[in-house]
Amino acid sequence: MLFAALWWTGETEQLDLHRDAGFILLGMVIFRLIWGVVGGSTARFSDFLHGPRAIGAYATDLIRGRIDRSVIGHNPLGGWSVAAMLALLAAELTLGLFTVDIDGDQPGPLARLISYDQGRTVAQWHQWVFNGLLALIGLHLAAIAFHAVVKRDNLIGPMLTGAKRHAGDAAPMRPAPMWRLAVAVLVSAAIVWLIVRG
Amino acid sequence: MRTKATLTAAAVALALGAAGAALAADMAGVIQARQTHYKAIGAASKGIYDELNKPTPQASVIQGYAHQLDTLAPQIPSWFPVGSGPEAGVKTKAKAEIWSQPAAFKTAADSFAVAAHHFAATAAGGDIGAIRAEYPTLTKACGSCHTQFRAKAPG
């Protein structure tokens, strides 16, 4: 929803709202990066980022139509899809901090470190990376739809609740303690505050 | 006779084509110069913004940018000769409305010139508080013209 809001406010040049929404999303992305290290089992990068062999095996299974619902968390292809989206999102937000609008009166909070022309170039990149993000998000959503329709596997419920009815004997998701959540949120907010304040 | 007429027609067409090409090249130059001017305005605007957001803004820095704006703003109508719009075949965000509603365009451009002149006077006063208070008025004057006469599509 925040992403849609950023799209809308960017297109319609409501830059003050765009900036505030960007700060919130920046905090969320920083949180997700921290959570990928200290969070619940299925949230960790080590859980869903696998080497080429696992990806190959999964892709083969996928093509042969073998269904394996005993796994929880992102599958090997979906995991890298998440990583790619996170990386592009982080790049997009970083570029946004340096972006200068065409009128030069509502620049990003770190744009004072660069010139108007450089800031305009960054704005161009900000646009390109956004198109890349749209493509990756579209791909991710298409994969989710594929799972829902062809493989009859609802992925959205488990994403929201963390609970999944699984047929196999896979270990259930181990949530992280609440204090870690609180610390991660506070650290993310502090980093954003430092950046915004300049 | 027939041949001669055809040759004459061809020569005229060639001359017209050459004139057209020359005109198009001129317009490309006009549009390029216009974009350079507008980038200077944008850079000056960013310069003022950045200075105002420093812990201790220097009035002298802002005065320099304000003077640039005051010099460039009254020239704006002269940057838009007929033929330098979207029909020039060069990438430009200048909308056709600039030439189809010349009175409205002149009003908007004039109001920016007035705002730029007023801002320069305030800047000359050296009171950072007053300058800060007037900056939004200045940028609103930029924006009022842009919303009407500048296309959003990248170009």
Side-chain angles (χ1 to χ4, degrees):
Chain A
M1 271 158 64
L2 200 52
F3 186 80
L6 280 159
W7 189 357
W8 173 249
T9 53
E11 287 293 322
T12 57
E13 297 179 3
Q14 300 179 57
L15 294 183
D16 41 353
L17 284 173
H18 186 77
R19 190 163 16 183
D20 293 342
F23 293 156
I24 299 172
L25 191 58
L26 181 65
M28 289 166 71
V29 167
I30 293 172
F31 167 80
R32 188 61 188 84
L33 292 175
I34 298 173
W35 209 236
V37 181
V38 304
S41 61
T42 52
R44 297 200 181 189
F45 298 131
S46 58
D47 178 83
F48 63 74
L49 296 184
H50 302 281
R53 196 176 307 165
I55 297 172
Y58 178 78
T60 316
D61 283 356
L62 193 68
I63 293 162
R64 295 209 184 124
R66 261 192 269 161
I67 302 169
D68 182 8
R69 273 197 221 149
S70 65
V71 248
I72 60 162
H74 285 100
N75 67 52
L77 281 176
W80 281 105
S81 169
V82 169
M85 287 191 297
L86 256 183
L88 268 199
L89 200 51
E92 179 69 349
L93 288 159
T94 308
L95 289 174
L97 294 174
F98 290 93
T99 290
V100 175
D101 61 302
I102 188 169
D103 295 342
D105 64 340
Q106 286 176 297
L110 298 182
R112 63 187 150 73
L113 303 173
I114 60 177
S115 75
Y116 173 82
D117 286 337
Q118 288 166 335
R120 292 303 297 153
T121 308
V122 173
Q124 182 70 65
W125 296 343
H126 191 65
Q127 176 73 51
W128 289 337
V129 173
F130 181 76
N131 291 337
L133 267 172
L134 281 185
L136 282 185
I137 291 169
L139 185 66
H140 205 74
L141 293 179
I144 291 168
F146 169 79
H147 276 269
V149 176
V150 179
K151 297 179 79 179
R152 303 249 160 245
D153 191 3
N154 172 14
L155 300 183
I156 299 178
M159 175 184 81
L160 296 175
T161 62
K164 173 161 177 167
R165 255 180 276 142
H166 42 89
D169 50 7
M173 195 271 266
R174 291 183 310 281
M178 283 310 270
W179 67 264
R180 280 200 198 160
L181 180 76
V183 170
V185 168
L186 282 178
V187 170
S188 314
I191 294 174
V192 173
W193 185 75
L194 282 175
I195 292 172
V196 170
R197 207 173 122 268
Chain B
M1 277 317 276
R2 185 94 185 236
T3 329
K4 199 178 170 194
T6 314
L7 275 175
T8 312
V12 168
L14 263 177
L16 276 177
L23 199 67
D26 280 358
M27 282 311 164
V30 165
I31 292 171
Q32 215 163 36
R34 181 163 80 209
Q35 289 169 348
T36 306
H37 290 319
Y38 269 117
K39 280 176 188 166
I41 292 180
S45 174
K46 177 181 184 295
I48 296 168
Y49 179 96
D50 287 349
E51 194 61 29
L52 284 175
N53 281 286
K54 283 184 182 167
T56 47
Q58 299 301 310
S60 59
V61 175
I62 296 173
Q63 283 158 6
Y65 293 126
H67 178 70
Q68 279 180 28
L69 292 179
D70 191 21
T71 311
L72 288 170
Q75 303 172 9
I76 287 179
S78 73
W79 301 342
F80 293 89
V82 174
S84 67
E87 74 274 21
V90 184
K91 249 188 181 180
T92 173
K93 286 181 181 162
K95 283 170 131 180
E97 281 83 346
I98 292 172
W99 296 274
S100 67
Q101 302 165 19
F105 180 67
K106 187 161 181 349
T107 306
D110 286 350
S111 74
F112 175 57
V114 169
H117 192 66
H118 199 268
F119 185 82
T122 306
D127 177 357
I128 294 294
I131 296 171
R132 193 186 299 280
E134 203 179 315
Y135 183 62
T137 313
L138 176 69
T139 60
K140 217 171 282 170
C142 305
S144 74
C145 198
H146 291 161
T147 47
Q148 289 178 75
F149 298 111
R150 183 178 69 193
K152 281 211 167 71

